């Protein structure tokens, strides 16, 4: 049996302002993922089963490569289950059908002299490379694009959360 070749990209961002609990709660509200990830077209979450369904659009510049690798429609779908939920620190998941993947996001407090919380958010993904798509997905430019997209998504999340925290701080200061 062929051993699956896996890739495990990761990215990290510092977020200033919101508490870890606020960050974790927002990130764990999985249907909101479409707000910060432009490649996701749809995400649902069943609070009772802890299962989520995901639809991801393959970026237009990669459509021709996707077709060349005979990968079908330029959409990737999967169902995942949350394996570990440790607010406000860790959320870990694994797919149970569709495109195989797993990952985790951590929120770690950073010692800081700033008057507001500083949190290090780290996102780690892991997925196998299908044999037919390996030449495409192992390509340095494609892996760079994946990591850049992860980081961009995280920066969008951070920006939204920092803006909300700043507005709440301004509102609290004005009320005094």
């Amino acid at each position: 049996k062929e051993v699956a070749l896996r890739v495990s990209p990761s990215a990290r961002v510092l977020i200033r302002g919101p508490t870890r609990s606020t960050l974790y709660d927002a990130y764990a509200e999985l249907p909101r993922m479409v707000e910060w990830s432009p490649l996701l077209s749809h995400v649902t979450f069943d609070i009772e089963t802890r299962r989520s369904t995901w639809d991801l659009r393959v970026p237009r510049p990669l459509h021709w490569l996707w077709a060349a690798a005979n990968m079908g429609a330029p959409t990737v779908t999967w169902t995942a289950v949350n394996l570990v939920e440790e607010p406000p620190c860790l959320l870990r998941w694994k797919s149970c059908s569709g495109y195989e993947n797993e990952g985790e996001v951590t929120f770690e407090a950073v010692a800081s002299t700033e008057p507001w919380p500083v949190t290090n958010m780290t996102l780690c993904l892991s997925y196998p490379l299908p044999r037919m798509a390996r030449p495409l997905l192992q390509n340095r430019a494609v892996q760079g694009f994946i990591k850049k997209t992860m980081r961009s998504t995280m920066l969008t999340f951070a920006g939204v959360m920092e803006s909300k925290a700043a507005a709440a701080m301004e509102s609290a200061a004005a009320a005094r």
Side-chain angles (χ1 to χ4, degrees):
K1 184 177 176 182
E2 180 181 353
V3 175
L5 177 63
R6 295 188 76 82
V7 292
S8 301
S10 64
R12 179 178 306 216
V13 296
L14 282 178
I15 304 174
R16 293 171 173 83
T19 64
R20 287 190 311 155
S21 292
T22 299
L23 294 170
Y24 180 94
D25 291 347
Y27 200 86
E29 197 175 326
L30 299 179
R32 290 189 65 194
M33 291 289 177
V34 297
E35 292 177 37
W36 27 83
S37 181
L39 296 181
L40 289 170
S41 58
H42 189 73
V43 179
T44 62
F45 181 67
D46 184 319
I47 196 163
E48 291 182 17
T49 64
R50 314 313 288 170
R51 290 182 185 261
S52 52
T53 58
W54 300 75
D55 294 325
L56 181 138
R57 291 182 295 269
V58 173
R60 185 168 297 279
L62 299 179
H63 281 197
W64 71 274
L65 291 169
W66 195 261
N70 199 24
M71 295 290 290
T75 302
V76 179
T77 61
W78 67 94
T79 299
V81 62
N82 288 357
L83 300 175
V84 179
E85 296 177 5
E86 295 177 2
C89 304
L90 171 67
L91 177 62
R92 183 176 297 136
W93 63 90
K94 183 173 185 166
S95 64
C96 47
S97 67
Y99 188 73
E100 182 183 339
N101 71 88
E102 58 189 281
E104 69 177 33
V105 62
T106 59
F107 299 95
E108 299 172 87
V110 175
S112 170
T113 58
E114 297 183 39
W116 47 77
V118 178
T119 302
N120 185 24
M121 176 187 179
T122 304
L123 176 63
C124 301
L125 302 176
S126 180
Y127 50 88
L129 296 180
R131 194 169 58 79
M132 290 295 295
R134 282 184 189 165
L136 162 67
L137 295 175
Q138 281 181 304
N139 178 286
R140 184 176 293 198
V142 172
Q143 284 301 308
F145 176 82
I146 290 168
K147 189 159 184 163
K148 180 181 173 187
T149 301
M150 284 175 63
R151 182 151 169 77
S152 173
T153 295
M154 293 170 72
L155 288 170
T156 300
F157 173 76
V160 168
M161 300 309 294
E162 287 175 343
S163 292
K164 286 184 178 185
M169 284 188 261
E170 286 174 17
S171 178
R176 288 186 217 164

